[in-house]
């Protein structure tokens, strides 16, 4: 394995809670989480049920999907990603640009996986639903790919196979450019209590400034983490921050938006073992690594950001690995998921250059007026 030097940017964005009207349908996401994203998805029987439900949800909004199978090199197990494409007018040509929205759907053995990563899957499905509806009214310039990865918990095998088997060959064959990939990995857990947020072992030695700022915030789990590389992913981070900021402002005049951006540089060559790398989880060891480190990384860099609530580093999940169940679907957590999904929708509208960008604020106003009347 060859390591390269990759400077990383970590952005922590902290909101306060209120009751918003959103383009994301909270009830629909609650349905998805409770019906097929709250049961373990670690063996093939369990995962096949989830895949079928994901494919049905995509089909319901007019999106056909494909199953991308691959072999996990260490165990020889067969894995399966689900991929759907909303084609732009230049699809398959050098004039096309891809925006990738992704989440893994597998879980740790025995875990119901509501937050990790049912919440990411629910958010990506809801974004696909909204963008499909908008497509009937507003033209869009760029292609959107929705990818649901298998085997994140087995050395990121699904996302690695997607990048190597599908994405890089497509880019090479058609000269298509990827303008952004988003990895959604835990978007549900909001815990605004002091000492609810932990840090990985050795995190302070890797990121002393981030550790200090978390300390100044009383170690509250009231933020969304954005991980990225300095330079390569800078425009993508700014685009998501704009979307998140605007969503927060539009959802409620009382919803104060407090972003705090931590610019961190890390020399990957200093990490000499996978164990050392794992200690940075979830800041690096997730599906975004497949987009950072690939067979053509010296020539092709794929702008990528990783969104997470930090998973088992927050709240009760620090102490209870099996607590990632329906218990997580509190009203406060669902509001947090709605905000994150709403931000992803606005982000996709901007990045795909949908004509809906010109009317999206009017859509918010209509939703808010509807809420006031009802």
């Amino acid at each position: 394995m060859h390591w390269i030097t990759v400077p990383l940017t970590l952005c922590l964005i902290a909101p306060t809670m209120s009751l918003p009207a959103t383009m994301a349908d909270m009830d629909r996401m609650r349905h998805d989480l409770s019906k097929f994203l709250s049961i373990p998805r670690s063996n093939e029987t369990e995962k096949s049920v989830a895949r079928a439900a994901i494919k049905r949800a995509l089909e319901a909004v007019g999106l056909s999907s494909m199953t991308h199978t691959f072999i996990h090199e260490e165990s020889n197990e067969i894995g399966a990603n689900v991929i759907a494409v909303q084609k732009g007018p230049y699809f398959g040509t050098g004039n096309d640009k891809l925006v990738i929205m992704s989440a893994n759907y597998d879980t740790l053995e025995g875990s119901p996986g509501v937050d990790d990563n049912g919440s990411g899957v629910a958010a990506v499905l809801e974004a696909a639903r909204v963008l499909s509806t908008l497509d009937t009214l507003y033209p869009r310039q760029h292609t959107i790919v929705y990818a649901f990865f298998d085997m994140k918990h087995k050395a990121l095998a699904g996302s690695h196979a997607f990048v190597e088997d599908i994405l890089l060959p497509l880019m090479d064959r058609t000269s298509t450019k990827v303008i952004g990939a988003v990895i959604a990995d835990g978007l549900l857990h909001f815990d605004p209590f002091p000492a609810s947020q932990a840090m990985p072992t050795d995190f302070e030695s890797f990121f002393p400034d981030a550790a200090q700022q978390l300390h100044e915030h009383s170690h509250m789990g009231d933020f969304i983490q954005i991980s990225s590389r300095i330079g390569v992913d800078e425009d993508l981070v700014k685009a998501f921050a704009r979307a998140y900021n605007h969503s927060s402002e539009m959802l409620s005049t009382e919803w104060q938006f407090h972003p705090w951006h931590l610019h961190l540089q890390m020399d990957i060559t200093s990490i000499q073992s996978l164990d050392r790398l794992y200690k940075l989880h979830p800041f690096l060891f997730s599906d975004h690594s497949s987009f950072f480190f690939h067979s053509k990384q010296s020539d092709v860099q794929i702008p990528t950001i990783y969104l997470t609530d930090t998973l088992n580093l927050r709240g009760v999940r620090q102490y209870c690995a099996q607590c990632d169940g329906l218990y997580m679907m509190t009203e406060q957590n669902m509001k947090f998921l709605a905000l994150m999904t709403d931000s992803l929708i606005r982000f996709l509208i901007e990045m795909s250059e949908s004509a809906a960008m010109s009317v999206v604020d009017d859509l918010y106003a209509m939703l808010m007026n509807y809420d006031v009347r009802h």
Side-chain angles (χ1 to χ4, degrees), residues 157-188:
S159 56
H160 175 76
F162 169 79
V163 172
E164 296 293 340
D165 298 347
I166 293 181
L167 186 58
L168 291 176
L170 175 66
M171 295 172 68
D172 185 56
R173 185 174 65 252
T174 65
S175 299
T176 296
K177 180 181 179 182
V178 178
I179 56 175
V182 176
I183 313 298
D185 191 6
L187 305 180
L188 179 66

Side-chain angles (χ1 to χ4, degrees), residues 366 368-374:
M366 180 181 68
M368 290 181 183
N369 290 335
Y370 180 86
D371 269 13
V372 169
R373 292 194 303 269
H374 294 77

Side-chain angles (χ1 to χ4, degrees), residues 15-122:
T16 57
M17 302 306 298
S18 65
L19 181 60
T22 70
M23 285 196 293
D25 189 328
M26 192 186 303
D27 289 336
R28 192 153 45 188
M29 290 190 291
R30 184 181 284 111
H31 171 274
D32 289 351
L33 286 170
S34 61
K35 293 300 182 182
F36 65 91
L37 295 171
S38 55
I39 55 176
R41 304 177 294 280
S42 61
N43 61 50
E44 178 53 29
T45 300
E46 295 166 344
K47 290 189 292 186
S48 66
V49 173
R51 280 199 304 273
I54 290 170
K55 292 171 77 71
R56 285 195 301 270
L58 293 168
E59 184 179 354
V61 295
L63 286 175
S64 59
S65 60
M66 62 169 284
T67 301
H68 164 228
T69 58
F70 59 91
I71 298 177
H72 182 232
E73 294 180 0
E74 294 183 7
S75 66
N76 286 325
E77 292 179 71
I78 296 177
N81 299 324
V82 177
I83 302 167
V85 180
Q86 283 180 322
K87 296 179 181 179
Y90 307 108
F91 180 74
T93 74
N95 294 322
D96 195 21
K97 297 178 181 179
L98 298 183
V99 185
I100 301 169
M101 187 68 58
S102 68
N104 72 286
Y105 69 88
D106 63 312
T107 68
L108 292 168
E109 185 175 358
S111 173
V114 171
D115 183 35
D116 182 13
N117 185 30
S119 61
V121 173

Side-chain angles (χ1 to χ4, degrees), residues 208-359:
D209 293 339
Q212 178 61 31
Q213 293 201 40
L214 283 173
H215 177 71
E216 292 171 357
H217 281 253
S218 301
H219 290 260
M220 291 187 291
D222 59 349
F223 57 84
I224 188 70
Q225 174 191 301
I226 310 172
S227 297
S228 69
R229 295 159 294 181
I230 293 175
V232 177
D233 309 317
E234 185 175 345
D235 289 343
L236 208 58
V237 171
K238 290 179 179 178
F240 180 78
R242 280 195 303 272
Y244 186 71
N245 189 9
H246 211 147
S247 288
S248 298
E249 291 174 353
M250 295 300 296
L251 294 178
S252 173
T253 56
E254 298 179 358
W255 196 317
Q256 298 179 8
F257 182 66
H258 301 292
W260 38 299
H261 299 260
L262 305 182
H263 296 273
L264 308 175
Q265 290 191 337
M266 182 173 64
D267 184 359
I268 301 297
T269 59
S270 67
I271 302 175
Q272 300 298 324
S273 67
L274 287 177
D275 178 67
R276 186 71 169 169
L277 181 63
Y278 183 77
K279 290 179 180 179
L280 289 172
H281 179 80
F283 303 102
L284 183 61
F285 197 74
S286 190
D287 285 319
H288 57 307
S289 293
S290 297
F291 291 78
F292 289 176
F293 309 115
H294 53 78
S295 60
K296 296 186 178 181
Q297 63 194 34
S298 60
D299 301 315
V300 178
Q301 293 183 317
I302 305 169
T304 304
I305 58 175
Y306 171 60
L307 305 180
T308 183
D309 57 19
T310 75
L311 304 173
N312 61 353
L313 295 173
R314 181 168 294 178
V316 68
R317 291 194 56 212
Q318 298 175 59
Y319 319 105
C320 178
Q322 305 306 314
C323 288
D324 189 12
L326 294 175
Y327 151 85
M328 295 293 295
M329 293 168 55
T330 64
E331 191 67 19
Q332 179 173 255
N333 282 347
M334 290 304 299
K335 292 175 188 175
F336 186 59
L337 176 59
L339 168 64
M340 296 312 306
T341 307
D342 206 78
S343 303
L344 289 174
I345 291 168
R346 182 181 283 274
F347 170 85
L348 279 178
I349 290 172
E350 176 182 340
M351 293 298 294
S352 66
E353 294 191 19
S354 168
M357 193 68 190
S358 63
V359 298

